[in-house]
Amino acid sequence: MIETNRLKIYAASKEQMEAFIAIQNVSVLKEAFTEMLNGCLARPDQWEWYAIWMIELKDGTHIGELCFKGIDELSSTEIGYGISDSFQGCGYATEAVIAITAWAFEQNVVSCINAEVEKDNISSIRVLEKSGFKSIGRSGEEGPIYSKYKVKCEKYRIGEILE
């Protein structure tokens, strides 16, 4: 479990994930969360990198979720997150993203964390920027890609030399 000043963040167990999936009303979310559970079951030794991470206030109130999307051959992962509407605008997403990226880099298995965000999702872009992510000037399926590297490197970025 990761604890911040206001939050508890933890990777859900199989039972917690199954119960969470069962109550989902939005089919896209239900499919995504089911895919995460299947990733956990297929790779139990990498559970945290496929699990639904629950975001709760210190009093146990569930306010959102986040996830990683596995680890690729370049030691990078992608993060996704969401905060329930009634808890948005309070800095919880930024607090959670900062905490989970710090945790991920401490594990010594990833060197880069990416996030794709819809170009019109200004709030999510601000969360990423406040959490130390930078736009890499490319887009993925969901929109612009933002990245945060474990080791800050001013001169080089994967695959290219910066002038």
Side-chain angles (χ1 to χ4, degrees):
M1 178 176 307
I2 300 167
E3 291 196 38
T4 68
N5 290 336
R6 302 181 296 167
L7 305 174
K8 296 185 296 185
I9 308 164
Y10 60 92
S13 68
K14 176 181 182 278
E15 295 75 21
Q16 290 168 321
M17 289 172 64
E18 288 171 337
F20 190 71
I21 291 165
I23 63 170
Q24 295 305 308
N25 298 330
V26 179
S27 62
V28 172
L29 290 178
K30 191 171 202 123
E31 288 173 27
F33 292 138
T34 299
E35 186 177 314
M36 289 177 210
L37 175 58
N38 291 337
C40 289
L41 297 174
R43 298 169 195 87
D45 59 321
Q46 296 181 20
W47 191 272
E48 293 88 356
W49 302 105
Y50 292 91
I52 302 167
W53 285 72
M54 302 298 180
I55 305 171
E56 297 178 352
L57 298 177
K58 291 279 185 148
D59 68 6
T61 303
H62 182 86
I63 65 166
E65 309 79 41
L66 57 79
C67 69
F68 295 103
K69 298 178 182 178
I71 303 172
D72 69 17
E73 65 280 352
L74 298 174
S75 298
S76 67
T77 188
E78 184 178 341
I79 190 173
Y81 53 88
I83 299 292
S84 300
D85 291 345
S86 57
F87 294 96
Q88 291 180 4
C90 300
Y92 295 129
T94 302
E95 190 172 333
V97 170
I98 288 170
I100 199 72
T101 56
W103 174 88
F105 287 142
E106 288 172 2
Q107 305 313 301
N108 291 322
V109 295
V110 296
S111 58
C112 176
I113 301 172
N114 299 303
E116 290 184 25
V117 60
E118 293 178 6
K119 65 181 178 182
D120 298 332
N121 191 341
I122 303 304
S123 297
S124 191
I125 290 169
R126 287 293 300 136
V127 165
L128 293 171
E129 291 173 343
K130 289 188 285 185
S131 301
F133 285 73
K134 305 283 185 207
S135 173
I136 64 168
R138 292 191 333 244
S139 291
E141 292 178 18
E142 297 173 32
I145 300 171
Y146 286 74
S147 296
K148 185 173 184 176
Y149 294 91
K150 182 175 182 176
V151 177
K152 186 175 181 182
C153 183
E154 297 296 332
K155 190 172 180 183
Y156 299 101
R157 185 167 49 190
I158 294 177
E160 62 187 354
I161 298 175
L162 300 178
E163 304 296 341

